[in-house]
Amino acid sequence: MGQIGNRIAALREKQGLTQEELSLKLDISRASLSHYEKNRREPDYDTLVKIANHFKVSIDYLLGRTQDPEMVLDQQVRQFVDSLELSDERILQHFTLTIDGKQLTPEEARRFIAFVRAERSF
């Protein structure tokens, strides 16, 4: 997972922010940010979400799972996901969600919906 620190540092530098400035914006200590950037510690989920939201990048980008920092959900996808309920298995059965031509499993679809909800709550 060494990618996280490198990505955070690169994004911070691209915005011309010091560690102190970014840590204040994220409401974390400068020491914590320094540990993340040097890959000594990994941010918890809430901090990852704050970082992703601040830089307007996906959590997958921070984790090194994609090279595309712009991967964000468009408004139509957000509205579609808002209309779904996680507990409603029938809705998941009626829609076929695909990414890169591959159908999502019900578990992947639920994680996708949960991700969007978490992203929108900030």
Side-chain angles (χ1 to χ4, degrees), residues 3 5 12-13 38 45 56-57 67 69 73 78 80 83 116:
Q3 293 258 14
R12 177 181 60 75
E13 289 164 8
K38 291 187 168 115
Y45 176 76
K56 296 180 174 51
V57 298
Q67 299 305 311
L73 299 169
R78 285 175 185 260
F80 168 73
S83 72
V116 173

Side-chain angles (χ1 to χ4, degrees), residues 2-14:
Q3 293 258 14
I4 299 174
N6 303 345
R7 294 250 161 119
I8 295 169
L11 289 164
R12 177 181 60 75
E13 289 164 8
K14 188 174 171 187

Side-chain angles (χ1 to χ4, degrees), residues 56-69:
K56 296 180 174 51
V57 298
S58 70
I59 289 175
D60 274 345
Y61 176 75
L62 288 176
L63 296 178
R65 290 168 39 129
T66 177
Q67 299 305 311
D68 181 5

Side-chain angles (χ1 to χ4, degrees), residues 60-106:
D60 274 345
Y61 176 75
L62 288 176
L63 296 178
R65 290 168 39 129
T66 177
Q67 299 305 311
D68 181 5
E70 304 302 320
M71 245 178 60
V72 292
L73 299 169
D74 66 29
Q75 196 56 41
Q76 285 183 323
V77 174
R78 285 175 185 260
Q79 287 171 353
F80 168 73
V81 171
D82 283 348
S83 72
L84 296 179
E85 284 299 320
L86 285 176
S87 59
D88 197 337
E89 295 295 322
R90 284 171 296 145
I91 291 177
L92 288 177
Q93 289 166 8
H94 286 14
F95 290 98
T96 302
L97 300 176
T98 60
I99 292 181
D100 299 331
K102 287 180 65 179
Q103 185 172 339
L104 274 78
T105 66

